[in-house]
Amino acid sequence: MLQDLGHSPLLLDIAGTRLDASDRRRLQHPLTGGVVLFARNWVDRAQLTALTTEVKAIRPDLLICVDHEGGRVQRFRSDGFTTLPAMAVLGDLWMSDAMAATNAATAVGYVLGAELRACGVDLSFTPVLDLAHGGSAVIGNRAFHRDARVVSLLAKSLMHGLLLAGMANCGKHFPGHGFVTADSHVAVPVDQRSLKTILADDAKPYDWLSNSLASVMPAHVVYPKVDAAPAGFSSRWLQQILRGELGFQGAIFSDDLNMVGAQVSGGVLAGALAALGAGCDLVLLCNQSMVEGGQAVDALLEGLAGAASQGRWRPDGDSEARRLSLLPLTPPLPWDELMHEPAYQHALEKLP
């Protein structure tokens, strides 16, 4: 029954620096579509490469992801990994030399993508498309700029660099997390602005980049003038606006279902079903594998399987195709070869 579902929507985490028996069992589950790595999964490049190789040996189609943006959100920082700038640095450079900033953004994307891919990571959840309104501590200098035009052009340049490294991209957090001050990791942010205002400003990059974005991650933010549910659980935001009005064709990830901003959905399984029902192709459950033996992860896998058998959730072949489209299409350059690659050396010289 499960093998016939044809949709692997869950991205989960692993507890340590190598797989244990529980990790292997969960990765073999047909509803598992990938893993999200964190700093706790890192010792050095050899260990990371061994870990990603082991994941792919279990299932070559699993999507190995990480939050690796630059600035304070960079999971791997030692053993040769380049320390990448916060995106606001590129926005500042834009103000003095716009063309140099776009070239630097491409260099950042290429270095970021090539180094991760050399260690077996498929996708980084980047770029941040939130606008720098100035009041959000959780976004802060992760945003390129206040101007949606500058954000769009720098993000497109960074995505070009990712593409040169053979990596897809993920724009976040739709339709915009930068205006609210609350952190959706620990609270439920509420943005009281009108739909017209949001679409004309914060959501504009998703319109201008609709042909360039491979995937999108919506915000755990409530926009009550549009919908009572957070954007990631709202069919109006995801299906009517993002797919319908803006024409986005790529994959949609939920943000972490364990965040407080997701709890309005009524628990992890309810949240996963709500997100999938609203239009997410993939759902993330992070930092739960080391809590009580990963009971929450197992419960979600069992709950999704039960919901499918009971008809409360219908697996989607189109969603699965969008997940698979995020896997790299070309083999990565091994690390030692990458270090001598002229394009990589040139990109390092262009980093701000």
Side-chain angles (χ1 to χ4, degrees):
M1 166 62 183
L2 281 180
Q3 301 294 341
D4 298 331
L5 288 178
H7 183 188
S8 303
L10 178 61
L11 268 67
L12 48 82
D13 68 306
I14 58 177
T17 57
R18 56 187 301 173
L19 300 181
D20 62 20
S22 294
D23 295 322
R24 295 186 188 95
R25 171 177 53 78
R26 292 175 188 129
L27 293 179
Q28 290 169 351
H29 197 289
L31 291 178
T32 299
V35 298
V36 183
L37 300 178
F38 292 88
R40 68 171 184 274
N41 304 124
W42 161 264
V43 175
D44 54 32
R45 287 187 288 107
Q47 168 270 328
L48 177 62
T49 304
L51 175 62
T52 58
T53 300
E54 190 175 4
V55 170
K56 292 291 187 176
I58 291 173
R59 272 181 51 199
D61 71 298
L62 290 173
L63 188 64
I64 302 177
C65 306
V66 67
D67 271 325
H68 197 87
E69 305 166 4
R72 71 178 187 273
V73 182
Q74 182 173 337
R75 304 305 187 203
F76 315 134
R77 296 175 174 272
S78 56
D79 197 22
F81 266 89
T82 302
T83 299
L84 298 168
M87 296 303 97
V89 173
L90 294 166
D92 291 341
L93 179 57
W94 173 280
M95 300 307 293
S96 60
D97 189 336
M99 298 312 295
T102 61
N103 199 31
T106 300
V108 168
Y110 180 73
V111 171
L112 186 162
E115 290 182 354
L116 287 176
R117 289 211 59 213
C119 294
V121 178
D122 298 321
L123 177 70
S124 175
F125 294 119
T126 188
V128 170
L129 299 180
D130 302 314
L131 305 189
H133 287 277
S136 172
V138 70
I139 300 301
N141 66 2
R142 296 167 67 192
F144 289 102
H145 202 273
R146 170 62 184 87
D147 190 324
R149 298 168 298 177
V150 178
V151 169
S152 299
L153 288 170
L154 289 177
K156 189 169 188 176
S157 297
L158 186 139
M159 292 190 293
H160 184 202
L162 294 174
L163 184 64
L164 292 172
M167 181 176 282
N169 58 67
C170 181
K172 61 186 185 185
H173 307 82
F174 175 80
H177 201 310
F179 187 77
V180 294
T181 56
D183 178 355
S184 55
H185 292 84
V186 296
V188 183
V190 177
D191 187 335
Q192 294 286 356
R193 293 177 299 165
S194 69
L195 175 61
K196 181 179 180 180
T197 297
I198 295 168
L199 290 180
D201 195 13
D202 291 64
K204 206 62 186 171
Y206 297 91
D207 183 7
W208 289 328
L209 299 174
S210 60
N211 287 318
S212 303
L213 287 165
S215 64
V216 163
M217 180 179 287
H220 286 330
V221 175
V222 177
Y223 308 85
K225 290 187 171 63
V226 184
D227 197 331
F233 306 97
S234 164
S235 60
R236 185 171 187 204
W237 275 117
L238 300 184
Q239 296 188 42
Q240 181 180 330
I241 297 173
L242 181 60
R243 291 215 187 278
E245 296 181 20
L246 303 184
F248 176 65
Q249 302 295 313
I252 301 176
F253 290 91
S254 82
D255 207 341
D256 180 10
L257 294 172
N258 194 49
M259 290 164 59
V260 172
Q263 300 307 305
V264 294
S265 59
V268 169
L269 176 58
L273 293 174
L276 292 167
C280 287
D281 302 297
L282 299 127
V283 293
L284 276 62
L285 182 63
C286 303
N287 300 313
Q288 292 300 295
S289 62
M290 64 280 203
V291 179
E292 298 180 338
Q295 290 182 16
V297 186
D298 292 329
L300 180 54
L301 286 167
E302 293 170 9
L304 283 175
S309 65
Q310 297 161 14
R312 292 189 292 138
W313 166 59
R314 178 178 296 177
D316 189 331
D318 289 339
S319 287
E320 181 66 359
R322 288 189 282 265
R323 181 185 75 85
L324 295 173
S325 74
L326 299 175
L327 291 166
L329 298 177
T330 57
L333 277 179
W335 189 275
D336 289 344
E337 291 183 32
L338 178 64
M339 294 301 104
H340 299 285
E341 176 68 23
Y344 173 78
Q345 293 289 340
H346 181 66
L348 289 177
E349 295 172 1
K350 294 300 180 181
L351 294 178

